[in-house]
């Protein structure tokens, strides 16, 4: 949420600041709209579910779960099941969510004796959805519902208890500033009930409904069609509706059929499948990819027949379509296509036999039909005689791991005996397999490596040997977090509890990499037993720890060394009970330092008085400094006199200098005055200037600049002081201090940088990586404009980097529109696909309209095929529907790639659901 205090002393991320600038202070406080993917994963795991179960859900189902309320209700609905249903789609999630919400509302009304049933709510929501659709305004007037048949509508007190309860439940809402108009709080819910109304209309006049849908594009119709497919699958009207729809738009008909294909006549299925098959031969491959994807969802013989005819030999489809086809055959479980799937499906084997297990593909293959899994496993097993380390062996191992095929363990046992150890890709496969037997073999592999490492002499000459051997069991891979299973965890626990420090550290590393919270406490105990501190500082790791779990660990731990390790496992957000524990720990000498630091991180304001007392107590220096640092985070004005006294008393010692730094981060007028008094008493000049920079006021910065002007190398010296702001609190790229007054600073640096050396000029621009303001951006633009001129100084000899390059880097990190042309000019020598991928990544901080404007200009001026392909691809990612006419000019271009990229981009902007997930021409 936007910060309550405008003058923050903590760096702010560009995106967070943009949200704050757009925030209307007259509005109510807005909670975040949706989870990020990482937040969804963390919430899912905290609810006691496995990551693998999450990624077994279809992508659109996970997308629906990113609504925090939907996730909560969904988990409640399925709370009695160990795992969610094997095949849940978005429509099912929506239905479960709404049914649960309406049941709650009905129960509340029964308690009030208002006799409102879930049926009343359902009926009202269908009417509201239809009326909103008819207005084309996204909302409907309450007065327009008076004659619409809304249950229990009260003309005297509109809209009556039913609609009022739906508003109270946040399913409907009033339009801000227009309490006489209502709308759906979530658009997907409106689509759901619009589809419910469609079902009723289909039963009355299916032809009219078909005509209604033909006026919509596919992306608009899709959510409603999915729901209709589920609702009419067992209704006799389905044949007439789908048959009529298939005549006009087979793609829409396919969506309805996919709900339950075998409920429809084979003639209808064949007609739809053959129509999709014709799209597979279209010039524009994205249309063929979409057709293949839809056929992969139509689990019926007719879909299989069309895919076989167009993809399997002697057919010779484009390699991109073959890749999509491999996934479709896997979904359909067509055993005769396993050779094709094995060849064209991407199983995550990279150069050097680096492996990666894609979470969606892993879930897809493990829920595939048994006959298909057996056939694909047999095909892979025929490659197991290949030599260890060969590409063929690595792929076979990877496929068997994807399938969860237990034959993998027996084979790797034989290789382990023969070779004395397992290669990295073999150990990775054991983790992906996740069975008890795989875990036992993995432990043997780790023990063997530890024994071999112990036999290798220390010294630089043997570093490569030690590194290669160690990384076979100790390597980083993002997929680990959703691969480790409960069966595998017990074997990691065995490693963690081993007396050999090398083995134990490997076990703890896998627990951390896999975010296996159940193993964090054993790791803390094992580390304490060996007299070592456990470091769990990453947010991902701490996100996996709930407050309740941590409190349980704390109560179990009696050893002070274990509790010290638990301090690094604190959840990111505390509860009052955790804050109380931290306050109590301020009285424990062994825990005081960590407790004080965490109190500062958490912003526990009520601890300020106790922290101030620590500054006056006879305790170790570092404990007092941790208390001072926490008070700096809290910006506690009451600490200023104590810190000033501490700095004066311990002049030019670490303790005094730490107190000075803290005064700078508190940054109040009183703190600035204290710094000035201390400065007049000749404390350490460099640290004093750094504290004044952290203070950041106009007067503080003027004092710093005046001091810099007294030096011959003043600009370089000043920028070093700015650079060291990060020494105390660290720094994250893209985060900026925004409270520092920069006008005088910018004027001074602009006037003084010309005579500096290349290293000094690097330091000057690099100092801006922590500070952002309008002034700094204007200076960065001014220096960047010197690109290609003699006034653009060199900053790095080895690659001839210029000052303008650094300025553009900084402007890019800030999302400053001035840098968009620079980003589009970068990586120009790479292949088109590499260029588009990197440019799209580097443009993510900029506004889409600004990007699109520059891309349109370049597209209109493109003189070669490569430039046109690149700009078309980027326009499809950052443009809008109004660009359709510009893009359409290239649809029939004689160049095949150009025409295909144009079609993909046009669909992304006008009908995005016709572009399959992960599809791209370049």
């Amino acid at each position: 949420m936007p910060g309550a205090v405008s003058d923050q002393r903590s760096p702010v991320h560009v995106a967070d600041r943009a949200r704050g600038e757009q925030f209307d202070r007259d509005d109510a406080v807005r909670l975040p709209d949706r989870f990020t993917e990482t937040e969804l994963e963390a919430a899912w795991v905290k609810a006691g579910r496995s990551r693998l179960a999450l990624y077994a859900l279809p992508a659109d189902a996970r997308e629906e779960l990113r609504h925090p309320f939907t996730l909560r209700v969904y988990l409640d609905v399925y709370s009695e099941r160990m795992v969610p249903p094997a095949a849940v789609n978005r429509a099912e999630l929506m239905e479960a969510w709404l049914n649960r919400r309406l049941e709650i509302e009905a129960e509340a009304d029964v308690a009030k004796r208002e006799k409102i049933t879930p049926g009343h709510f359902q009926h009202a929501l269908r009417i509201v959805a239809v009326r909103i659709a008819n207005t084309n305004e996204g909302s409907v007037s309450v007065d327009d519902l008076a004659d619409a048949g809304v249950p229990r509508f009260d003309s005297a007190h509109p809209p009556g208890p039913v609609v009022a309860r739906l508003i109270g439940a946040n399913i409907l809402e009033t339009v801000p500033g227009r309490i006489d108009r209502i709308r759906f709080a979530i658009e997907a819910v409106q689509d759901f009930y619009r589809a419910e109304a469609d079902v009723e209309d289909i039963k009355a006049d299916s032809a009219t409904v078909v005509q209604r849908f033909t006026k919509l594009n596919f992306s608009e119709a899709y959510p409603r069609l999915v729901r209709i497919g589920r609702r009419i699958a067992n209704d006799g009207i389905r044949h007439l509706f789908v048959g009529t729809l298939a005549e006009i738009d087979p793609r829409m008909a396919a969506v309805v059929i996919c709900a339950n294909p075998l409920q429809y006549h084979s003639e209808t299925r064949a007609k739809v499948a053959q129509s999709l098959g014709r799209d597979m031969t279209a010039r524009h491959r994205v249309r063929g990819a979409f057709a293949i994807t839809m056929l992969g969802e139509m689990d019926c013989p007719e879909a299989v027949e069309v895919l076989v005819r167009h993809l399997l030999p002697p057919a010779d489809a484009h390699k991109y379509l073959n890749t999509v086809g491999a996934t479709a055959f896997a979904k359909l479980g067509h055993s005769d296509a396993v050779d094709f799937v094995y060849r064209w499906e991407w199983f995550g084997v990279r150069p050097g036999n680096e492996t990666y297990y894609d979470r969606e593909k892993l879930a897809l293959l493990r829920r595939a039909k048994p006959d298909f899994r057996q056939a694909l496993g047999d095909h892979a097993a025929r490659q197991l005689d290949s030599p260890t380390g060969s590409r063929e062996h690595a792929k076979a191992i990877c496929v068997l791991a994807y399938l969860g095929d237990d034959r993998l363990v027996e084979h790797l046992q034989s290789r382990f005996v023969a070779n004395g150890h397992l290669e990295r890709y073999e150990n990775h496969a054991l983790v992906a397999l996740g069975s008890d037997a795989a875990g036992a073999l993995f432990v043997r592999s780790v023990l063997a490596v530890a024994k071999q490492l112990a036999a290798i002499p220390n010294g630089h000459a043997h570093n490569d040997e030690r590194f290669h051997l160690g990384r076979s069991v100790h390597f980083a891979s993002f997929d680990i977090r959703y691969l480790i299973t409960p069966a595998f965890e017990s074997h990691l626990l065995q490693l963690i509890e081993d007396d050999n420090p090398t083995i134990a550290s490997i076990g703890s590393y896998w627990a951390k990499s896999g975010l296996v919270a159940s193993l964090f406490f054993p790791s803390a105990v094992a580390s304490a037993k060996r007299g070592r501190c456990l470091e769990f500082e990453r947010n991902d790791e701490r996100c996996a720890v709930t407050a309740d779990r941590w409190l349980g660990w704390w109560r179990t731990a009696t050893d002070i060394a274990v509790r010290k390790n638990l301090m690094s496992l604190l959840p990111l957000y505390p509860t009052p009970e955790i804050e109380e524990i931290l306050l109590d720990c301020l009285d424990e000498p062994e825990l005081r330092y960590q407790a004080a630091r965490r109190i500062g991180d958490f912003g526990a304001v009520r601890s300020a008085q106790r922290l101030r007392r620590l500054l006056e107590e006879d305790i170790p220096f570092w404990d007092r400094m941790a208390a001072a640092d926490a008070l700096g985070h809290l910006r506690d004005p009451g600490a200023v006199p104590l810190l000033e006294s501490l700095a004066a008393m311990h002049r030019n010692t670490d303790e005094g200098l730490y107190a000075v730094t803290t005064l700078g981060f508190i940054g109040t007028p009183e703190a600035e005055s204290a710094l000035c008094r201390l400065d007049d008493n000749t404390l350490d000049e460099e640290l004093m200037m750094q504290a004044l920079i952290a203070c950041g006021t106009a007067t503080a910065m003027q004092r710093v600049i005046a001091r810099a002007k007294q030096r011959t190398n003043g600009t370089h010296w000043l920028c070093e002081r700015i650079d060291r702001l990060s020494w105390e609190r660290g720094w994250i790229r893209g985060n900026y201090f925004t409270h520092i007054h920069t006008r005088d600073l910018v004027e001074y640096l602009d006037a003084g940088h010309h005579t500096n050396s290349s290293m000094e000029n690097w330091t000057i621009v690099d100092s801006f990586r922590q500070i952002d303001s309008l002034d700094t951006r204007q200076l960065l633009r001014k220096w960047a404009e010197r690109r290609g001129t003699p006034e653009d100084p060199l900053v790095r000899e080895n690659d001839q980097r210029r000052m303008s390059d650094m300025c553009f880097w900084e402007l890019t990190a800030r999302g400053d529109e001035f840098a968009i042309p620079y980003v589009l000019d970068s990586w120009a020598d790479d292949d088109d696909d590499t260029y588009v991928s990197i440019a799209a990544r580097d443009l993510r901080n900029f506004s889409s309209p600004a990007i699109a404007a520059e891309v349109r200009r370049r597209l209109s001026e493109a003189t070669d095929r490569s430039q046109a392909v690149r700009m078309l691809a980027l326009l499809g990612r950052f443009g809008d529907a109004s660009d359709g006419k510009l893009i359409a000019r290239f649809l029939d271009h004689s160049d095949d790639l150009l025409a295909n990229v144009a079609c993909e981009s046009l669909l992304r902007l006008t009908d995005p659901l016709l572009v399959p997930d992960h599809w791209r021409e370049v």
Side-chain angles (χ1 to χ4, degrees):
M1 291 182 290
V5 181
S6 60
D7 184 17
Q8 297 291 305
R9 289 301 189 273
S10 297
V12 180
H13 192 273
V14 169
D16 295 335
R17 184 174 67 251
R19 282 193 289 268
E21 290 168 354
Q22 295 167 3
F23 180 70
D24 185 349
R25 297 291 173 183
D26 294 330
D27 286 348
V29 174
R30 301 172 186 168
L31 291 173
D33 177 47
R34 292 156 56 78
F35 285 134
T36 63
E37 189 171 348
T38 301
E39 290 168 338
L40 170 60
E41 181 183 284
W44 181 270
V45 172
K46 288 179 180 180
R49 307 301 179 93
S50 73
R51 290 180 177 83
L52 191 56
L54 173 63
Y55 293 109
L57 297 174
D60 61 347
R62 293 199 308 277
E63 186 71 17
E64 201 64 42
L65 287 176
R66 286 175 60 189
H67 293 284
F69 185 72
T70 309
L71 175 64
R72 175 60 183 269
V73 174
Y74 172 72
L75 292 169
D76 286 346
V77 168
Y78 294 109
S79 61
E80 296 180 0
R81 307 186 187 185
M82 293 300 293
V83 295
V88 177
N89 58 35
R90 177 177 178 174
E92 289 172 328
L93 292 181
M94 184 67 71
E95 185 174 12
W97 170 39
L98 290 169
N99 286 344
R100 179 61 175 157
R101 287 301 302 143
L102 297 179
E103 285 173 7
I104 292 171
E105 294 305 316
E107 289 168 2
D109 287 318
V110 167
K112 295 179 180 180
R113 299 184 179 181
E114 293 186 11
K115 298 182 180 179
I116 298 177
T117 68
H120 288 121
F121 292 128
Q122 299 276 10
H123 188 194
L125 289 168
R126 287 197 297 271
I127 292 172
V128 173
V130 172
R131 286 297 174 108
I132 289 176
N134 292 339
T135 66
N136 292 319
E137 296 181 24
S139 64
V140 64
S141 168
V142 172
D143 292 339
D144 289 344
L145 299 177
D147 59 352
V150 173
R152 307 284 292 277
F153 188 88
D154 188 342
S155 299
H157 301 91
V162 173
V163 174
R165 291 294 296 170
L166 291 170
I167 294 172
N170 292 325
I171 295 175
L172 299 177
E173 65 180 9
T174 57
V175 177
R178 294 289 306 277
I179 62 172
D180 61 324
R181 299 191 68 85
I182 59 174
R183 65 187 181 191
F184 280 83
I186 298 174
E187 188 175 354
V189 180
Q190 179 178 331
D191 290 335
F192 182 93
Y193 280 104
R194 187 73 180 90
E196 290 290 294
D198 288 332
V199 170
E200 299 302 316
D201 292 345
I202 288 170
K203 294 176 180 179
D205 185 357
S206 64
T208 299
V209 178
V210 168
Q211 291 300 319
R212 185 189 304 160
F213 272 98
T214 59
K215 297 176 183 178
L216 304 175
N217 68 29
F218 182 83
S219 299
E220 293 171 329
Y222 178 81
R224 289 160 60 183
L225 291 170
V226 171
R227 179 60 183 164
I228 289 170
R230 285 177 48 77
R231 291 280 279 108
I232 69 172
N234 296 305
D235 195 301
I237 196 63
R238 66 186 183 277
H239 299 297
L240 178 60
F241 176 70
V242 170
T244 307
L245 187 59
E247 295 285 344
I248 301 172
D249 195 323
R251 298 171 304 183
M252 291 189 183
V255 176
V256 180
I257 290 173
C258 284
N260 197 334
L262 298 183
Q263 289 290 88
Y264 293 86
H265 296 315
S266 60
E267 295 83 359
T268 303
R269 298 196 303 261
K271 183 175 184 178
V272 171
Q274 289 165 10
S275 177
L276 292 172
R278 287 190 289 274
D279 286 344
M280 290 172 63
T281 61
R283 182 191 185 193
H284 300 124
R285 287 182 287 272
V286 65
R287 298 192 183 279
F290 175 80
I292 294 170
T293 301
M294 286 303 306
L295 288 167
E297 299 293 335
M298 283 179 59
D299 191 0
C300 61
E302 293 78 12
V304 172
E305 188 276 328
V306 170
L307 287 172
V308 167
R309 178 157 35 92
H310 287 87
L311 295 175
L312 296 189
D316 186 24
H318 190 277
K319 62 181 181 180
Y320 290 1
L321 297 184
N322 284 336
T323 301
V324 179
T327 300
F329 279 129
K331 286 183 177 180
L332 294 170
H334 184 53
S335 299
D336 292 341
V338 292
D339 290 356
F340 181 89
V341 173
Y342 193 84
R343 178 186 178 191
W344 288 108
E345 184 64 273
W346 182 80
F347 288 106
V349 183
R350 297 167 172 170
N353 289 338
E354 299 283 338
T355 50
Y356 186 85
Y357 292 88
D358 179 80
R359 52 199 177 193
E360 293 184 20
K361 200 174 304 303
L362 191 75
L364 166 65
L365 290 172
R366 291 196 180 179
R367 66 170 180 254
K369 294 177 181 177
D371 290 349
F372 174 82
R373 293 177 61 207
Q374 182 66 40
L376 184 58
D378 291 344
H379 186 87
R382 289 194 285 273
Q383 309 297 319
L384 291 179
D385 289 337
S386 303
T388 298
S390 67
R391 176 79 171 179
E392 294 77 14
H393 187 253
K395 185 171 183 179
I397 292 296
C398 189
V399 171
L400 290 173
Y402 261 113
L403 292 168
D405 195 314
D406 290 332
R407 286 177 286 184
L408 179 63
V409 175
E410 182 179 355
H411 170 73
L412 290 180
Q413 283 175 336
S414 66
R415 290 294 168 106
F416 177 74
V417 172
N419 299 327
H421 69 278
L422 294 176
E423 296 291 331
R424 170 176 167 164
Y425 71 88
E426 294 171 321
N427 284 310
H428 200 175
L430 289 173
V431 179
L433 184 61
S435 66
D436 181 67
L441 181 55
F442 181 77
V443 168
R444 290 177 60 194
S445 178
V446 172
L447 296 179
V449 167
K451 184 176 180 180
Q452 293 173 51
L453 285 172
I456 299 174
N458 291 321
H460 180 73
H462 300 280
N463 281 349
D464 288 345
E465 183 183 1
R466 295 180 64 84
F467 173 76
H468 178 74
L469 184 61
R471 76 188 295 269
S472 67
V473 294
H474 189 285
F475 54 88
S477 186
F478 188 81
D479 59 4
I480 300 303
R481 61 179 56 198
Y482 56 82
L483 293 182
I484 295 178
T485 64
F488 206 86
E489 287 180 27
S490 61
H491 298 283
L492 293 181
L493 179 61
Q494 178 183 340
L495 296 177
I496 290 168
E497 295 178 341
D498 196 282
D499 291 333
N500 184 322
T502 299
I503 295 171
S505 66
I506 291 173
S508 292
Y509 170 81
W510 281 94
K512 290 192 290 184
S513 297
L515 305 182
V516 187
S518 61
L519 296 179
F520 289 178
F521 182 63
S523 295
V525 174
S527 295
K529 181 181 177 181
R530 297 193 303 272
R532 299 184 62 180
C533 293
L534 185 68
E535 296 297 331
F536 278 90
E537 294 293 336
R538 287 171 43 207
N539 283 352
D540 281 353
E541 294 158 354
R542 293 173 61 198
C543 273
V545 179
T546 64
D548 288 343
R549 170 169 266 165
W550 188 87
L551 288 168
W553 293 340
W554 187 263
R555 297 183 190 110
T556 301
T558 55
D559 186 90
I560 200 71
V562 175
R563 286 192 161 187
K564 190 173 183 179
N565 280 337
L566 290 179
M567 284 291 184
S568 67
L569 286 170
L570 278 162
L572 288 180
Y573 304 102
T575 63
E577 188 173 356
I578 289 176
E579 285 195 8
E580 287 293 341
I581 288 172
L582 292 176
L583 284 170
D584 290 341
C585 288
L586 294 178
D587 296 324
E588 293 283 351
E590 296 89 345
L591 302 175
R592 184 184 294 121
Y593 175 82
Q594 288 175 295
R597 294 296 299 267
R598 290 302 184 204
I599 283 172
D601 293 342
F602 288 148
V605 178
R606 64 195 179 112
S607 65
Q609 185 175 3
R610 178 68 184 98
L611 291 169
R612 282 186 232 124
R613 291 205 304 271
L614 289 179
L615 297 182
E616 302 176 291
E617 294 178 7
D618 183 18
I619 58 177
F621 154 70
W622 286 112
D623 289 355
R624 279 202 300 276
M625 294 309 94
D629 182 69
L631 289 165
H633 276 285
L634 299 176
R635 298 196 65 210
D636 177 46
V640 170
L642 293 170
L643 290 167
E644 182 181 4
S645 175
L646 199 62
M649 186 183 306
H650 299 277
R651 187 182 308 275
N652 292 332
T653 67
D654 286 343
E655 191 161 352
L657 301 179
Y658 218 103
V660 168
T661 300
T662 301
L663 284 169
F665 279 107
I666 289 177
T668 60
E670 294 78 13
E672 182 182 354
S673 297
L675 287 172
C676 292
R677 288 191 292 271
L678 291 167
D679 185 34
D680 291 338
N681 283 286
T682 63
L683 274 174
D684 181 276
E685 182 182 33
E686 292 187 349
L687 193 66
M688 182 61 63
M689 295 303 104
Q690 288 161 211
L692 286 168
I693 293 170
C695 186
T697 64
T699 51
M701 293 303 296
Q702 288 164 6
R703 191 179 187 97
V704 174
I705 293 167
R707 197 65 57 85
K709 288 179 178 179
Q710 297 172 7
R711 295 174 170 267
T712 56
N713 64 338
T715 55
H716 182 257
W717 176 84
L718 173 56
C719 289
E720 282 189 328
R721 308 285 72 73
I722 298 173
D723 179 69
R724 292 181 183 179
L725 283 176
S726 62
W727 285 23
E728 295 300 327
R729 296 191 176 183
W731 171 71
I732 300 174
R733 178 168 294 280
N735 284 13
Y736 302 94
F737 290 104
T738 56
H739 70 280
I740 297 175
H741 177 82
T742 56
R743 185 186 62 193
D744 299 320
L745 172 67
V746 162
E747 291 178 357
Y748 173 64
L749 294 181
D750 189 29
H753 83 279
H754 302 284
T755 59
N756 291 319
S757 67
S758 59
M759 181 178 295
E760 289 172 332
N761 281 328
W762 178 287
T763 303
I764 289 173
V765 183
D766 193 49
S767 68
F768 287 133
R769 77 182 192 276
Q770 299 182 74
I771 301 174
D772 190 34
S773 69
L774 180 60
D775 296 317
T776 59
R777 293 192 186 202
Q778 288 174 339
L779 180 58
L780 290 169
R781 292 176 199 143
K782 178 180 178 180
W783 288 349
E785 283 182 323
R786 294 173 179 167
R787 185 173 179 80
T789 71
E791 289 75 32
D792 186 15
L794 197 68
V795 294
R796 193 163 63 190
E797 295 280 354
N798 61 349
D799 60 357
Q800 295 296 293
R801 288 293 176 182
R802 299 278 169 179
M803 196 174 198
S804 61
D805 290 308
M806 292 190 69
C807 293
F808 276 120
W809 295 346
E810 289 301 326
L811 291 168
T812 299
R814 291 160 168 79
D816 190 284
E817 295 176 6
F818 183 85
I820 291 176
Y822 173 82
V823 175
L824 291 173
D825 289 336
S826 301
W827 309 98
D829 295 334
D830 285 277
D831 294 336
D832 290 340
D833 58 343
T834 302
Y835 172 87
V836 171
S837 177
I838 295 176
R841 179 201 67 192
D842 291 349
L843 289 167
R844 61 192 174 197
N845 284 337
F846 301 93
S847 71
S848 291
I851 298 168
E854 177 64 15
V855 170
R856 288 186 202 109
R857 184 188 68 78
R858 293 187 177 218
L859 179 59
S860 65
E861 298 174 358
T863 57
D864 60 64
R865 174 232 206 192
S866 180
Q867 180 75 351
V869 163
R870 295 174 176 199
M871 294 305 106
L872 274 173
L874 291 174
L875 191 58
R877 288 158 173 78
F878 298 104
D880 55 44
S882 67
D883 294 308
K885 186 176 293 186
L886 173 61
I887 296 172
R889 291 166 35 202
F890 297 89
L891 289 177
D892 297 320
H893 199 279
S894 58
D895 185 277
D896 186 61
L897 179 60
L898 200 54
N900 272 278
V901 172
C903 184
E904 177 193 335
S905 293
L906 182 63
L907 291 178
R908 286 186 184 277
L909 299 179
T910 60
D911 207 350
L913 289 186
L914 288 178
V915 181
D917 290 341
H918 312 303
W919 174 267
R920 66 174 192 175
E921 282 287 346
V922 292

